[in-house]
Amino acid sequence: MTKPTVPAYASTPANYGARRGTVPAEAFRGALVVAVRPDSPAYDAGIEPGMYISHVNDQSLTDMIVWLWEADEDEVELTVFDPSDDTSTPCVLERFPGEDWGLTFNDAIFDEMRTCVNACVFCFMRMLPKESRDTLTIRDDDYRLSFLQGNFVTLTNMSDSDVEEVIDKFLSPMNVSIHAVSPDVRRSLIGRNAGRGIEVLERLMDAGIEIHAQIVLCPGLNDGDELDRTLRYCEAHPSITSLGIVPLGFTKHQDRFASSYSDDWRAARAVVEQVRPFQERAFERFGRHTFQMSDEFYLAARLDPPQADFYDGYPQFYDGIGMIRSYLDDTDAVLADAARVRRTGDALRSLGLRLVVISGEAARDTVARFVESPELSGEARAIKNYYFGGNVNVTGLICACDILDQLETDLGRVMLILPEVMFNADGLTLDGYHREHLLTLLEERGARALCSSTAPQELLSFIEGDLGL
Ligand code: SF4
């Protein structure tokens, strides 16, 4: 995998289990078509947005895996359901080699989402404020999303036929939460189905499926000797090509946890040291470090993150592993063209605008390296997360209420950038504000309020575009 571009510095806790905005399917209709490319095979067949594809080559279209497998040739038979008149119509589509079918679906899963059967003691979904929207409390654990979108799953709810499907279709790689390997520790962490997860994991590895694994490390629960056992297990299974170790995240809406590694730099540093020999041995054997600490560990341990090549191509980038390093490198690359950044800073200054970029507390100093550079002379403003409380400090979980409470009431002559990662696909924050409503509230305080990626390259291009540079 090549180094990813940086969408923003932000991550969510690994124990944040649900996909934002997901709702369970009701009656199965198939895949909802949300867009049809003009002049495509689907367009020529008369398929329109709002229709459903219920079957493909006589298979129920339950998910994108079925679609990818069945619609791989240059001819496909579809059953199209039109809800406007309750009719189902068969049709055959043909395409030129390499042409796409011209269909965009609304999701990756079209039947019922597989929800989790676990009771993880560290589950972020059990630590949400009571008033959280219903969709935030859906706990999905769907192996199909592991393959399709890289969601971490526990494998504890998979039937034997699910396992056979993964093996038959060779759905590789899969992202799997391991957390611990000793049966008693697993059971105390995850619940009574923990054993099934390891059983399935080993079947998948025996079949050659590549695994990207994860540990949510909880002080006093799966650290110390148990962490050693889990690391040795992963070391003994070369199918596990990356293992991300992330610290426990917790909110104030629970009473089990009161501290984590973010409160104890020595403990964080001890874990970094404990993992180091495994990284070194993995590099000697495979040329990759495999065992990766999350950014939060380096921040908590007050250590600089490793250089980019240590991250083995960033296989777990979107889980907060390597984002800081990538952001810092992106900052250096953008600032290498100091004249360009200065031109933007000069344009802001000539308009009397002060740039303020919002971030979570964890990312503030990293974001400041670019935003507060002499050329741009803006401000990276950390928003403390009172809505969730606990040790939640990442940009992706910033809530509108905290922004409104913590920003000054007079924002005149401020260009205020909200990070786009704090909004879901429907434009909602975690506390239910719509992006446009929040921007309007901030504009009423005098700000020029905008929403953008806060990654240096993308942020600079965005501001240039806004200023017409
Ligand atoms: S109970 Fe465990 S597997 Fe289920 S959503 Fe929560 S953290 Fe994820």
Side-chain angles (χ1 to χ4, degrees):
M1 181 182 285
T2 55
K3 174 180 174 292
T5 55
V6 187
Y9 174 73
S11 65
T12 51
N15 47 341
Y16 178 72
R19 297 180 319 141
R20 291 159 63 174
T22 300
V23 292
E26 291 168 2
F28 175 74
R29 287 177 160 184
L32 172 62
V33 176
V34 292
V36 180
R37 182 173 57 77
D39 301 324
S40 64
Y43 181 89
D44 292 344
I47 299 173
E48 296 176 6
M51 294 179 175
Y52 290 79
I53 310 298
S54 65
H55 292 79
V56 48
N57 297 338
D58 285 332
Q59 299 268 332
S60 290
L61 184 49
T62 51
D63 53 58
M64 280 304 290
I65 294 172
V66 174
W67 178 255
L68 294 172
W69 256 251
E70 294 297 330
D72 193 39
E73 302 294 329
D74 291 333
E75 182 177 308
V76 68
E77 285 179 41
L78 304 180
T79 304
V80 182
F81 173 70
D82 185 347
S84 67
D85 57 8
D86 268 348
T87 56
S88 284
T89 310
C91 67
V92 176
L93 269 56
E94 293 178 10
R95 65 179 176 184
F96 298 112
E99 188 182 17
D100 74 87
W101 295 111
L103 287 167
T104 304
F105 302 124
N106 70 321
D107 209 335
I109 302 293
F110 313 126
D111 62 353
E112 197 80 30
M113 186 73 66
R114 313 278 179 95
T115 52
C116 102
V117 294
N118 307 316
C120 300
V121 294
F122 50 78
C123 179
F124 199 81
M125 307 310 296
R126 290 152 50 127
M127 303 183 193
L128 295 174
K130 284 196 174 53
E131 66 272 21
S132 291
R133 297 193 308 275
D134 289 347
T135 50
L136 288 182
T137 57
I138 296 167
R139 297 185 301 161
D140 70 66
D141 195 18
D142 196 315
Y143 72 91
R144 298 171 296 178
L145 291 177
S146 179
F147 174 71
L148 290 168
Q149 297 181 350
N151 291 20
F152 276 91
V153 293
T154 62
L155 312 175
T156 53
N157 60 356
M158 285 180 71
S159 65
D160 285 340
S161 64
D162 292 336
V163 177
E164 279 154 26
E165 170 166 316
V166 173
I167 292 171
D168 287 350
K169 290 185 171 159
F170 203 71
L171 303 183
S172 179
M174 298 281 281
N175 283 13
V176 179
S177 292
I178 293 183
H179 304 315
V181 290
S182 300
D184 54 332
V185 179
R186 277 183 65 79
R187 211 165 23 251
S188 66
L189 273 176
I190 299 175
R192 61 193 168 89
N193 297 302
R196 175 67 177 165
I198 285 288
E199 191 185 308
V200 171
L201 174 65
E202 293 186 351
R203 281 179 64 187
L204 299 184
M205 290 193 294
D206 287 348
I209 305 285
E210 181 185 352
I211 303 293
H212 294 296
Q214 181 190 66
I215 296 173
V216 175
L217 199 65
C218 305
L221 295 177
N222 58 344
D223 57 349
D225 290 345
E226 181 59 24
L227 176 60
D228 248 347
R229 276 190 284 278
T230 310
L231 296 174
R232 283 201 302 273
Y233 177 92
C234 293
E235 188 171 48
H237 290 87
S239 296
I240 299 175
T241 58
S242 75
L243 171 71
I245 304 165
V246 303
L248 166 76
F250 63 91
T251 76
K252 65 183 178 186
H253 305 280
Q254 49 82 45
D255 50 22
R256 178 168 186 141
F257 301 107
S259 66
S260 183
Y261 295 96
S262 48
D263 306 296
D264 187 347
W265 67 269
R266 288 185 181 82
R269 205 170 277 193
V271 177
V272 173
E273 291 303 319
Q274 186 178 355
V275 175
R276 195 183 310 279
F278 291 89
Q279 296 168 326
E280 290 169 355
R281 286 199 296 272
F283 191 73
E284 276 169 24
R285 283 177 72 193
F286 303 113
R288 54 173 156 74
H289 293 92
T290 308
F291 300 84
Q292 299 285 0
M293 311 299 301
S294 74
D295 295 347
E296 292 153 293
F297 263 111
Y298 292 110
L299 286 171
R302 303 176 189 168
L303 295 171
D304 287 335
Q307 296 302 312
D309 58 4
F310 193 89
Y311 285 102
D312 306 333
Y314 297 96
Q316 300 202 24
F317 182 79
Y318 291 103
D319 300 300
I321 295 181
M323 282 185 171
I324 290 182
R325 168 50 59 206
S326 190
Y327 193 102
L328 294 174
D329 289 353
D330 199 25
T331 298
D332 290 346
V334 174
L335 288 177
D337 188 354
R340 179 186 168 200
V341 183
R342 196 175 306 112
R343 183 182 64 145
T344 302
D346 287 346
L348 287 166
R349 287 183 283 274
S350 71
L351 292 167
L353 285 172
R354 186 164 59 90
L355 176 67
V356 176
V357 177
I358 297 298
S359 85
E361 290 180 292
R364 200 220 79 90
D365 291 351
T366 307
V367 174
R369 294 252 203 131
F370 174 60
V371 172
E372 298 184 3
S373 62
E375 292 83 359
L376 212 48
S377 58
E379 178 193 355
R381 179 78 66 93
I383 297 294
K384 188 168 176 60
N385 200 316
Y386 289 105
Y387 183 78
F388 288 115
N391 69 348
V392 176
N393 59 10
V394 295
T395 304
L397 298 184
I398 293 178
C399 292
C401 62
D402 286 322
I403 290 180
L404 293 169
D405 284 349
Q406 291 170 49
L407 289 185
E408 45 274 43
T409 50
D410 180 3
L411 291 169
R413 313 218 71 79
V414 169
M415 176 185 268
L416 181 67
I417 305 290
L418 303 185
E420 63 187 8
V421 289
M422 57 176 282
F423 301 96
N424 73 1
D426 298 323
L428 292 171
T429 63
L430 286 156
D431 57 340
Y433 280 71
H434 195 276
R435 179 176 44 231
E436 301 311 318
H437 179 49
L438 178 57
L439 290 173
T440 300
L441 292 174
L442 294 164
E443 279 165 7
E444 285 171 4
R445 297 185 187 187
R448 174 162 183 67
L450 301 159
C451 177
S452 164
S453 161
T454 56
Q457 185 63 57
E458 292 169 7
L459 178 60
L460 184 63
S461 298
F462 177 83
I463 297 172
E464 287 173 340
D466 186 67
L467 296 178
L469 297 176

